[in-house]
């Protein structure tokens, strides 16, 4: 796969430093389950919105000796959950370019806590290597390269709404994300920080476990197909209620699949449920706010900017992000 992307390029004259920032993204229609684990090929399409300014800054340079990797200015220790994956990726690239790398990753979001840090991480690496080697890869090729590190990273190359098509080819060359044309300046994402500690089960293992043991998972591809059609319709017509209802239902359906795995995979904490109940109660009282949840206890809310003050009055610690820039 990397060979198809990179072997025809010239790697001989890298510049001194490559760098790039990649934002993270939040899936409104989730990716959960793979058709190929080695290539991170998903079973279904998924759809996300990018969070500008929140993510990973990557710096990359050629190393004299072995690869060295640091995260937030500290050397990555071999027992870090990302150590193996990051080294495997760099080794695979070295097999083509013949270089070892110095890689520095700086995050402005919590790492491995269900805030999609792996999405911005692997997208920033693909972009920084492209900068270092002046490969001039297309956005589709960068999306594929980012995907090899972590599936959701495929959706962190371009801003806005991104649709990652599962594709059908066994080499994964048709499995990349593309940006949807809709801009929605009034749309807000609110991060509800419930717990920033490292999650117990990585999405990689959690996904496999769900796929292997959950009876409900059999209906997941059908759920995604239905939700994706509803979501695309909601985005095209800027129908906020349809977007919120579909995103929330899709996230709950993914967690239902996890809950029915054996043993159950539960990412929520008591406060997660408490906040979900508060959001639903507020909605019942007329405040249009919905949530989504990934492989961690934290929640991401969606609402429109006209309700920002009302939302903040209930959740004063919420971080509010404007995926399309602020409308005010
Ligand atoms: O890219 P991964 O392996 O971290 O998986 C991401 C899984 C979810 O965040 C739960 C869903 C998604 O589509 O981002």
């Amino acid at each position: 796969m990397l060979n198809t992307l990179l072997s025809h390029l010239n790697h001989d004259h890298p510049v001194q430093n490559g760098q790039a920032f990649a934002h993270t993204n939040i899936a409104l229609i989730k990716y959960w389950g793979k058709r190929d684990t080695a290539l991170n090929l998903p079973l279904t399409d998924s759809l996300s919105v990018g969070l500008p300014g929140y993510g990973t800054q990557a710096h990359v340079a050629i190393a004299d000796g072995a690869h060295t990797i640091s995260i937030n200015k500290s050397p990555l220790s071999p027992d870090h959950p990302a150590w193996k994956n990051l080294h495997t990726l760099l080794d695979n690239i070295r097999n083509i370019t013949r270089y070892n790398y110095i890689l520095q990753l700086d995050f402005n979001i919590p790492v491995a806590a269900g805030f999609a840090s792996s999405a911005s991480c692997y997208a920033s690496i693909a972009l920084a290597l492209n900068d270092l080697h002046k490969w001039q890869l297309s956005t589709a090729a960068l999306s594929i390269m980012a995907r090899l590190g972590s599936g959701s990273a495929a959706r962190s190359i371009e801003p806005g709404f991104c649709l990652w098509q599962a594709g059908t080819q066994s080499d994964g060359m048709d499995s990349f994300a593309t940006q949807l044309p809709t801009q929605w300046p009034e749309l807000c994402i609110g991060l509800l920080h419930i717990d920033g500690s490292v999650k117990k089960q990585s999405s990689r293992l959690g996904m496999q476990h769900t796929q292997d043991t959950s009876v409900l998972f059999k209906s997941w591809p059908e759920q995604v197909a239905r939700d994706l059609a509803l979501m695309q319709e909601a985005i095209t017509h800027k129908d906020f209620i349809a977007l919120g209802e579909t995103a929330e239902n899709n996230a709950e359906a993914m967690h239902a699949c996890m809950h029915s795995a054996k043993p159950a995979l539960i990412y929520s904490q008591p406060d997660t449920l408490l906040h979900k109940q508060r959001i639903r109660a507020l909605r019942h009282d007329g405040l249009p706010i919905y949530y989504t949840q990934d492989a961690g206890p934290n929640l991401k809310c969606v609402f429109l900017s006209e309700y920002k003050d009302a939302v903040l009055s209930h959740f004063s610690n919420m971080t509010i992000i404007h995926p399309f820039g602020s409308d005010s």
Side-chain angles (χ1 to χ4, degrees), residues 25-34 40 45-48 85 114-119 122 146-147 149-155 164 199 202-205 207 220 250 254-255 258 267 293-296 300:
N25 71 78
I26 299 298
L28 299 173
I29 303 298
K30 305 296 184 191
Y31 145 60
W32 199 252
K34 299 185 193 194
N40 283 339
D45 298 350
S46 58
L47 192 154
S48 63
N85 204 35
F115 276 122
S117 56
S118 64
Y122 290 99
R147 190 202 78 218
S150 179
S152 54
R155 302 181 311 236
W164 172 19
K199 63 191 166 206
S202 68
S203 17
R204 189 175 298 263
L205 295 177
M207 219 178 264
W220 174 244
N250 185 264
M254 175 181 75
H255 282 274
M258 297 172 182
Y267 285 108
Q293 180 188 2
D294 293 293
K300 294 96 184 189

Side-chain angles (χ1 to χ4, degrees), residues 27-30 220 223 227 244-259 276 291-294 299-300:
L28 299 173
I29 303 298
K30 305 296 184 191
W220 174 244
Q223 168 99 30
D227 290 347
E245 280 178 356
T246 308
E248 191 171 299
N249 180 248
N250 185 264
E252 287 295 6
M254 175 181 75
H255 282 274
C257 292
M258 297 172 182
H259 294 167
K276 285 183 182 179
Y291 62 80
T292 182
Q293 180 188 2
D294 293 293
L299 296 179
K300 294 96 184 189

Side-chain angles (χ1 to χ4, degrees), residues 261-301:
K262 282 168 102 175
L265 181 57
I266 303 175
Y267 285 108
S268 294
Q269 288 179 3
D271 272 354
T272 312
L273 192 57
L274 210 78
H275 280 85
K276 285 183 182 179
Q277 282 166 339
R278 276 184 75 191
I279 292 165
R280 297 167 87 107
L282 288 170
R283 204 156 70 217
H284 184 259
D285 293 343
L287 184 64
I289 176 169
Y290 295 84
Y291 62 80
T292 182
Q293 180 188 2
D294 293 293
N298 302 304
L299 296 179
K300 294 96 184 189
C301 298

Side-chain angles (χ1 to χ4, degrees), residues 3 29 32 42 44 50 61 97 176-178 185 191 201 221 231 255 274 281 295 297 301-302 326:
N3 264 319
I29 303 298
W32 199 252
T44 68
T97 64
F176 54 85
T178 46
L191 303 183
Q201 175 85 283
M231 184 59 74
H255 282 274
L274 210 78
C301 298
V302 282
S326 172

